[in-house]
Amino acid sequence: MSGRTVLVTGVSRDLGRTCARSLANDPSVERVIGVDVMPPRGDIGDVQFVRADIRNPVIAKVIAREDVDTVVHMSVIATPGSAGGRGTMKELNVIGTMQLLAACQKSESLRQLVVKSTTTVYGASNRDPAMFTEDLEPRRPARNGYAKDVAEVEAYVRGFARRRPDVTVTLLRCANVIGPRVVSPVTSYFRLPVIPTVLGFDPRLQFLHEHDLNRVLRHAVNAGVHGTFNVAGDGVLMLSQALRRLQRPGVPLPGFAFGGLGSALRSARFADLSPELVAFLTYGRGVDTTRMRAELGFEPRYSTAEAFGEFASTLPPTGGRTERVLGAVAERLPEVEPDRPPALTVAGGTDG
Amino acid sequence: MGDAEIIPIGTRGRPGRGTGTRPSAAARNLAGKSRPTPKSEPPREEQPPPPAEARAEKAAAPHPPTAEPPATEPVLPLGEDVVPLATLPPSALTPRLEVSEREQPGIPVGDWLAAVQAAAREVFGEQWEHQLAHFLAFLRRRLTGDYVVDEFGFDPEITERFFLATLRPIAQKWFRIEVRGAENIPAEGGALIVSNHSGTVPVDALMTMVSVHDHTDRYLRALGADLVFRLPFVGAVARKGGATLACAEDAERMLAGGELVGVWPEGFKGIGKPYSQRYKLQRFGRGGFVSAALRTQVPIVPLSVVGAEEIYPLVGNVPALARLLGVPYIPITPLFPLLGPLGMVPLPSKWLLEFGEPIRTDEYDEGAAEDPMLVFNVTDQVRETIQQTLYSLLMQRESVFK
């Protein structure tokens, strides 16, 4: 597999850029070509940047001229703000993917396609199973927004896989990527000084560390396994637990008010609480990663809790006063072993 | 000056509209009968109490000192009166406290400490320091989020220490639950407990969870309807308590993971049935629980619950309101909504829980779950077992409440 030429789309954003760089460092990859509408904002190392819009057929010429054999599609974006509005975002996501796949279908040299998708395709509702496996459909199909874009992108990718059975198609459904430098709807939500939550709901969350995202994309390019895989760190974190680990105060709001706050925050550019993110923060979601381990052979280095912990350590706490008081009291008391203490009822009347 | 001291009614400035030398008539009326111009003098010189005591009293009665300063320094601006109070020498402060607090003798700090220690000993026992440290460690773990939930959102710590601890007295003292055949619950490995459902509100599921945990030391993982997870608070608490959605994927995942899973296949038809149909089992769903057990080859333990039917005898329903709220029924019981919140207290019926002989599913071959006839047969077998056990338990029961 030496002398491979990899084309990466969406390198103007941080995740695409770092992924392209890590692919360029891979010994089995000879050349990495980064494609995007805008030039990347940071250092792209050995990556060769081609300014091209994947929404028009120019991309086919790039693939043919550079003799690309692997395409890593990373430009399905979740934030309308960065793209310049919801309309542009949909154009970029859906039409861009269509054009890219059309170009790929024409390409003789292409052997592998890796698409970074997201677990948002599963939606979030009260009828969800606890853990989604790759074969499950969303219980409530998305009707608009990012989730619908992703569902359409995946449908086109499946169509492409049907028409070009000789190409290995790896579809990676990644859980919410988190990390100190990641800018996404979820990270901007957690960066709010006071975090609104939906009253009476405590969703389960799963995260993927940004390093693990780069690793899994590299692994997918190298392993060449056909199929759809959920990618997420081990374990789940409840939202309440996440807020306590962040040491930031949460403000529970009734469901209807939460949606209204979402649009207010969006217009103030603080955070982007899109309807699918509101559903996610209400009902939560878990994905099963058995297939990722067994078939793809990938093992994330960070668990969900560790990935979140690293993200949390970069944010200054804005709450946690009670904990500090309790800590001060605890220091005056004798040491106890950190594991589960002996059974002690909350009333505390049974043992004495 | 002596006059102003006896007017602790919250005004900061000079009382009344008076000339400044004498309070107005209204202010004098407010001050009441005690106009002790001579009386306030003696204690000031006589008995200055120890400063420690005064500090304890200051915490207990903060009002008199805030009312005092205008008397000593009449020109003081309103906002600043707290600052000079702190800088006042204790001798200037304490006598006045003594005036207003003479009826309540102060409690020395040492007594407070002793009382706190005695209370701690009372609550936590002789080893109270250790117990308190343990309790604090628990509190801090909860506050920093330093605990683990499983993939279904089950939080064993809060379940054991809070949910089960709260429900246990209700199970033992209010319903006086009697458990029979607890040895039929496998001590380890996956098993599916199938129970009848009754009682208007799924209290029977909660009581079964407590009873199973107390008799086998295992957590019963309940399968709940999607309505449970749509409701705020209910859904969040259910997930923390170990419940998950009653769907084939989750049931098989839990059973394959070796959990003890509880299912109430009658669903809303069971708990929402009128009182006249008590102890008559409804249709057992579509037999999905049997397919799940067959696929994972775990035993099915039938459970018959007697007593739950009588906690809220359902005599009526408001279908229009129920449709409006999107719930299966709005219950009307003899006490609810007639007595308001009081009508929500369940009647203290005596409960009997009997776990039947496990029905083995591991002897069927691989494709058994795909055979609808077999699934129906096993479903009927489970249903009949529970129905027969219910009848025999009802025969043995002396009365509803005894």
Side-chain angles (χ1 to χ4, degrees):
Chain A
M1 294 278 267
S2 66
R4 298 177 65 171
T5 308
V6 182
L7 181 130
V8 182
T9 65
V11 289
S12 74
R13 292 170 312 128
D14 261 352
L15 289 179
R17 184 172 60 83
T18 50
C19 165
R21 281 194 65 177
S22 82
L23 278 172
N25 291 334
D26 200 299
S28 71
V29 175
E30 194 186 298
R31 264 185 328 141
V32 177
I33 300 157
V35 176
D36 209 326
V37 191
M38 286 176 290
R41 269 165 286 184
D43 183 16
I44 55 168
D46 295 336
V47 179
Q48 186 188 338
F49 177 71
V50 175
R51 187 163 181 169
D53 191 344
I54 58 170
R55 282 172 292 177
N56 63 44
V58 172
I59 192 74
K61 288 181 189 153
V62 175
I63 292 177
R65 194 186 63 207
E66 305 286 345
D67 211 19
V68 171
D69 55 32
T70 305
V71 169
V72 179
H73 182 33
M74 291 200 57
S75 74
V76 182
I77 53 170
T79 43
S82 68
R86 167 78 190 119
T88 325
M89 170 187 159
K90 183 168 176 151
E91 284 271 302
L92 270 175
N93 287 347
V94 181
I95 309 299
T97 305
M98 279 181 83
Q99 285 286 358
L100 181 71
L101 292 178
C104 288
Q105 199 174 332
K106 283 278 173 226
S107 167
E108 295 292 323
S109 56
L110 190 76
R111 282 181 310 184
Q112 194 182 0
L113 171 69
V114 178
V115 179
K116 190 235 158 217
S117 178
T118 158
T119 53
T120 309
V121 287
Y122 295 118
S125 81
N126 58 322
R127 293 189 202 156
D128 286 351
M131 295 308 246
F132 276 102
T133 55
E134 286 83 350
D135 308 317
L136 293 177
E137 297 280 312
R139 294 294 158 110
R140 290 206 182 115
R143 273 168 303 179
N144 48 31
Y146 178 52
K148 187 171 186 210
D149 286 2
V150 179
E152 288 181 350
V153 165
E154 285 205 357
Y156 290 129
V157 171
R158 276 193 294 273
F160 171 80
R162 217 167 34 241
R163 288 190 293 270
R164 280 290 300 264
D166 58 314
V167 175
T168 309
V169 177
T170 315
L171 188 61
L172 300 173
R173 288 179 181 155
C174 301
N176 296 84
V177 180
I178 203 163
R181 287 168 300 151
V182 178
V183 179
S184 73
V186 167
T187 54
S188 55
Y189 169 74
F190 280 117
R191 284 194 180 107
L192 291 173
V194 175
I195 300 177
T197 59
V198 186
L199 181 70
F201 289 94
D202 200 1
R204 292 166 303 131
L205 315 171
Q206 267 180 329
F207 297 115
L208 182 69
H209 195 278
E210 52 180 324
H211 290 327
D212 277 331
L213 175 72
N214 285 337
R215 283 182 62 232
V216 74
L217 287 164
R218 228 167 105 174
H219 179 88
V221 168
N222 284 325
V225 186
H226 189 88
T228 305
F229 304 98
N230 293 332
V231 184
D234 289 342
V236 300
L237 216 54
M238 309 300 280
L239 178 61
S240 58
Q241 205 179 356
L243 295 192
R244 288 169 193 173
R245 288 185 183 202
L246 266 185
Q247 304 232 331
R248 294 205 163 193
V251 183
L253 296 172
F256 54 89
F258 192 80
L261 179 85
S263 54
L265 283 175
R266 184 159 48 237
S267 49
R269 299 243 168 170
F270 277 127
D272 191 355
L273 292 181
S274 55
E276 60 268 9
L277 185 60
V278 171
F280 177 56
L281 292 174
T282 310
Y283 299 111
R285 186 192 309 128
V287 294
D288 178 74
T289 52
T290 316
R291 210 191 265 183
M292 170 188 86
R293 281 164 223 281
E295 290 179 32
L296 189 64
F298 176 74
E299 193 74 39
R301 206 170 279 165
Y302 292 81
S303 71
T304 289
E306 285 163 359
F308 191 79
E310 200 184 298
F311 169 73
S313 64
T314 61
L315 297 179
T318 58
R321 194 168 293 128
T322 326
E323 205 285 319
R324 286 197 290 278
V325 170
L326 283 182
V329 176
E331 270 172 21
R332 288 161 198 277
L333 289 165
E335 285 285 314
V336 288
E337 66 277 13
D339 54 23
R340 279 177 68 83
L344 169 81
T345 58
V346 171
T350 51
D351 37 19
Chain B
M1 198 168 132
D3 280 348
E5 274 179 21
I6 46 140
I7 312 173
I9 48 174
T11 58
R12 298 280 168 93
R14 217 171 259 280
R17 296 162 291 178
T19 53
T21 52
R22 199 162 183 272
S24 69
R28 267 180 279 128
N29 285 343
L30 276 174
K33 290 179 283 294
S34 61
R35 252 199 300 153
T37 343
K39 225 168 82 186
S40 65
E41 289 298 331
R44 206 181 282 179
E45 272 87 42
E46 267 175 17
Q47 23 171 313
E53 208 177 309
R55 241 175 276 133
E57 286 179 1
K58 201 174 105 187
H63 287 292
T66 49
E68 291 297 332
T72 49
E73 292 164 333
V75 288
L76 209 61
L78 283 184
E80 289 174 21
D81 57 354
V82 185
V83 185
L85 181 68
T87 56
L88 279 178
S91 55
L93 187 65
T94 46
R96 297 200 183 83
L97 283 171
E98 189 58 28
V99 173
S100 55
E101 296 284 318
R102 201 182 299 135
E103 277 72 37
Q104 304 165 13
I107 303 170
V109 178
D111 285 11
W112 278 116
L113 266 178
V116 168
Q117 284 184 4
R121 215 170 283 129
E122 193 68 33
V123 176
F124 295 109
E126 274 309 316
Q127 293 280 309
W128 69 274
E129 272 193 327
H130 270 93
Q131 296 287 0
L132 187 63
H134 277 302
F135 185 64
L136 269 181
F138 164 70
L139 267 187
R140 290 183 73 196
R141 259 203 315 283
R142 302 306 305 182
L143 278 174
T144 50
D146 187 17
Y147 49 90
V148 182
V149 297
D150 80 352
E151 55 189 22
F152 300 97
F154 174 48
D155 187 341
E157 199 176 41
I158 204 78
T159 303
E160 174 147 13
R161 282 169 169 259
F162 188 69
F163 298 151
L164 292 182
T166 317
L167 291 171
R168 194 165 287 123
I170 304 176
Q172 291 172 353
K173 302 275 156 54
W174 190 258
F175 295 125
R176 294 145 290 145
I177 293 180
E178 190 182 321
V179 176
R180 299 176 182 180
E183 67 280 358
N184 287 324
I185 306 170
E188 56 192 12
L192 185 65
I193 292 182
V194 181
S195 170
N196 61 320
H197 212 8
S198 55
T200 308
V201 177
V203 179
D204 53 349
L206 302 177
M207 293 302 127
T208 310
M209 285 167 80
V210 179
S211 306
V212 166
H213 185 257
D214 288 356
H215 283 84
T216 63
D217 216 24
R218 296 186 70 180
Y219 295 105
L220 181 70
R221 310 295 299 271
L223 298 180
D226 56 353
L227 175 71
V228 171
F229 299 99
R230 204 188 70 201
L231 298 174
F233 302 108
V234 179
V237 168
R239 279 230 175 266
K240 287 203 171 80
T244 192
L245 183 75
C247 63
E249 294 90 1
D250 281 13
E252 282 165 31
R253 199 177 178 84
M254 271 189 176
L255 289 171
E259 299 283 353
L260 189 61
V261 180
V263 68
W264 291 263
E266 290 173 89
F268 291 113
K269 295 188 301 299
I271 48 172
K273 63 180 180 289
Y275 187 62
S276 56
Q277 289 183 30
R278 58 192 181 278
Y279 300 115
K280 282 193 192 119
L281 287 189
Q282 305 293 304
R283 178 167 61 82
F284 260 31
R286 279 167 271 183
F289 69 96
V290 171
S291 327
L294 284 171
R295 279 208 192 89
T296 49
Q297 306 210 319
V298 299
I300 298 174
V301 182
L303 164 65
S304 316
V305 179
V306 163
E309 294 273 15
E310 287 88 3
I311 57 170
Y312 297 112
L314 188 88
V315 293
N317 185 9
V318 195
L321 187 61
R323 260 199 306 279
L324 192 72
L325 294 176
V327 294
Y329 51 86
I330 297 285
I332 292 178
T333 72
L335 304 178
F336 181 83
L338 200 66
L339 295 186
L342 203 62
M344 284 152 76
V345 176
L347 298 181
S349 56
K350 162 85 180 168
W351 287 32
L352 295 169
L353 264 60
E354 181 161 336
F355 294 92
E357 195 111 325
I359 297 164
R360 290 180 63 179
T361 57
D362 52 350
E363 284 169 341
Y364 297 105
D365 50 340
E366 284 293 300
E370 310 302 326
D371 180 357
M373 191 50 79
L374 179 70
V375 172
F376 281 134
N377 285 343
V378 178
T379 310
D380 277 347
Q381 185 191 346
V382 176
R383 190 172 176 275
E384 273 312 302
T385 312
I386 296 174
Q387 184 71 75
Q388 293 310 320
T389 317
L390 280 179
Y391 287 144
S392 73
L393 285 176
L394 285 170
M395 299 273 279
Q396 294 165 33
R397 185 169 73 159
E398 288 168 27
S399 92
V400 173
F401 298 109
K402 207 156 56 167

